[in-house]
Amino acid sequence: MVDTRTCAIHGKSRASRYLEQDAAGRYICMNGYECKAAGSGAGNDLRVQCTLHGKLRSLDCLEDDGTGRLVCGPDRRCKTAGQPMADGDRDRGGGGGGGGGCYGA
């Protein structure tokens, strides 16, 4: 039986031999064995919360901010009421479910 764990960055279930622990003790994919992008497999509809805005987004709309948090990319900012959210809008009640698609500039 293969020992599996979930990559803390991408949310993918992986064989432990392809993961390593980071400084915080989380299991993340190793260099050279990175998780494949969301949407690359059939039926993959994984949604993850943008930690900047609190919106549920498709994983391929998010990127690691360098500290292990997943945030929307600069050209794929979260939207609310049809407008892209500024980075500071998180503290003004812009969070919650909804959204989910990617929105380019």
Side-chain angles (χ1 to χ4, degrees):
M1 179 164 219
V2 176
D3 181 30
T4 61
R5 297 189 185 273
T6 301
C7 174
I9 294 174
H10 302 107
K12 301 276 189 167
S13 180
R14 304 286 308 276
S16 294
R17 68 179 173 266
Y18 300 116
L19 300 171
E20 61 189 3
Q21 281 188 291
D22 65 6
R26 302 174 315 152
Y27 286 91
I28 59 172
C29 50
M30 294 171 40
N31 285 336
Y33 297 99
E34 290 86 358
C35 297
K36 293 181 181 173
S40 63
N44 188 346
D45 60 354
L46 179 65
R47 297 225 190 267
V48 181
Q49 188 174 32
C50 170
T51 56
L52 189 61
H53 301 111
K55 296 287 208 170
L56 286 178
R57 303 293 303 275
S58 298
L59 187 58
D60 59 339
C61 297
L62 303 172
E63 57 187 44
D64 186 343
D65 71 353
T67 67
R69 295 179 345 149
L70 292 174
V71 299
C72 53
D75 60 337
R76 295 180 151 187
R77 288 287 184 231
C78 294
K79 279 190 175 182
T80 183
Q83 296 297 316
M85 294 178 74
D87 292 346
D89 286 347
R90 171 180 54 165
D91 299 327
R92 286 182 233 153
C102 292
Y103 308 104

